[in-house]
Amino acid sequence: MAAEIKNLKDLQNTEYGLKKLFSDAEDFLPLLGTDYVELYVGNAKQAAHFYKTAFGFQSEAYAGLETGLKDRVSYVIKQDKIKLVLTTPLTKDGPINDHINLHGDAAKVIALWVDDAASAFEETTKRGAKPFLEPTREEDGDGYIIKSGIYTYGETVHMFIERKNYNGIFLPGFTKWESHYNPEPVGLKFIDHIVGNVGWDEMNTWCKFYAEVMGFAQIISFADDDIATDYTALMSKVMSNGNGRIKFPINEPAKGKKKSQIEEYLDFYNGPGVQHLALATDDIVATVSQMRDRGVEFLYVPDTYYDDILERVGDIDEDVEVLKKHGILIDRDEEGYLLQLFTNNILDRPTMFIEVIQRKGAQSFGVGNFKALFEAIERQQARRGTL
Ligand code: FE2
């Protein structure tokens, strides 16, 4: 694909046209949306409490010893369209234990909602995907689902979930989780994108995987000099499915004077994996201030970031002083602008974090902020004589 294609609109304007480009995707793998993200964690009960308290998720469903499981427990938490599943093993050995031991708490499954999970499995494995789970039927009194799974980067998995014949709370085997502790939502609406970090020289391999195996198209690409200061370099490409609901940026480290933040991730995660979930809100000031009040720590944004902000992004609806007070970042592309902010790592290993994003027309991912933010930090370092 041509390098000048920066967004979906550009793609539409190419000689191929969006429909033609995505026609294969629509033929062989229609994805209706993200179904859920499952995290393997050391202590799901406490993790669920954290995500409810700090991020405003609601108790949704539960499966464990009480529902007949012997080897693990899962809590499902929900906020608007976002569903997270937190799973902990109850026995000493097994694949979940191994995963936690190697990667720490981690996003294992990015589940995709499909009409036909058997066909999704067949079409993707036929194109070279490594199988994780053959199409499997699960049922209970509320109907049945079909699920199947394939591996993507590292040990991360895409599960295809076909739920058109199911009316239960989540999936067969889960029961409604009733809790007396129900902190208010903070306004997070849906998953905007999910970013994967892959190893040196692996970005193109995985973009090719999404293109050829999943029928995605590349919508944006950033070279190392786009997202590079002297100290932090990375490269990124964004893959999107046909209807644009699923967007997976893929990062790889790039050479700089110091260790790339992607390389640091790979060291602590012990391989490729999910770096961040970007969760959309339509009122980022309200969302971020509530999250701060509830103890969420965000990436520190130096005041200098705002010094030349309006020159960089032009007119915006929001009061810059309010954005500055909350440390909210702004970036603009050809279609509009976006507001975003990144949490600090939400785990002890410097691996996963959460992004809060509000789009005001922009369809890109805030590349201007990477550089502006890192340079702002470096300006401060320079003043302190620590650069
Ligand atoms: Fe992001």
Side-chain angles (χ1 to χ4, degrees), residues 192-193 195 249 275-278 340 342 353 355 357 365 370:
D192 185 274
H193 59 274
V195 179
Q275 180 209 40
H276 72 268
L277 307 180
Q340 68 186 162
F342 305 94
F353 60 87
E355 172 184 348
I357 183 166
F365 297 83
F370 280 72

Side-chain angles (χ1 to χ4, degrees), residues 34-39 41 43-63 73-87 163 169-171 174-179 181-185 188-191 277 279 294 346 352 354:
T34 307
D35 198 292
Y36 63 86
V37 175
E38 180 172 21
L39 286 82
V41 298
N43 188 331
K45 178 179 279 204
Q46 291 189 359
H49 189 79
F50 168 74
Y51 288 105
K52 285 169 65 175
T53 303
F55 290 84
F57 282 89
Q58 309 295 301
S59 308
E60 178 76 358
Y62 170 83
V73 57
S74 292
Y75 294 80
V76 183
I77 52 175
K78 189 177 174 188
Q79 188 164 183
D80 206 320
K81 293 190 172 60
I82 311 162
K83 278 182 283 183
L84 300 183
V85 182
L86 304 161
T87 297
R163 50 168 71 255
I169 184 78
F170 178 57
L171 292 173
F174 281 79
T175 177
K176 185 160 176 46
W177 176 18
E178 304 277 7
S179 171
Y181 179 64
N182 302 296
E184 287 290 307
L188 298 170
K189 303 279 187 196
F190 59 89
I191 295 178
L277 307 180
L279 307 178
R294 294 165 181 221
I346 52 172
M352 204 169 78
I354 300 290

Side-chain angles (χ1 to χ4, degrees), residues 198-201 203 222-236 251-264 266:
V198 301
W200 293 97
D201 304 320
M203 178 180 67
F222 306 120
D224 51 354
D225 50 351
D226 288 334
I227 317 180
T229 63
D230 280 350
Y231 294 90
T232 305
L234 63 92
M235 292 194 282
S236 189
N251 298 331
E252 74 170 40
K255 291 259 182 286
K257 282 185 193 159
K258 294 269 172 74
K259 186 183 272 193
S260 165
Q261 58 170 297
I262 309 303
E263 197 181 353
E264 184 195 40
L266 297 169

Side-chain angles (χ1 to χ4, degrees), residues 331-342:
D331 194 28
R332 181 176 285 279
D333 64 20
E334 300 86 347
E335 296 175 274
Y337 66 97
L338 62 81
L339 305 160
Q340 68 186 162
L341 189 49
F342 305 94

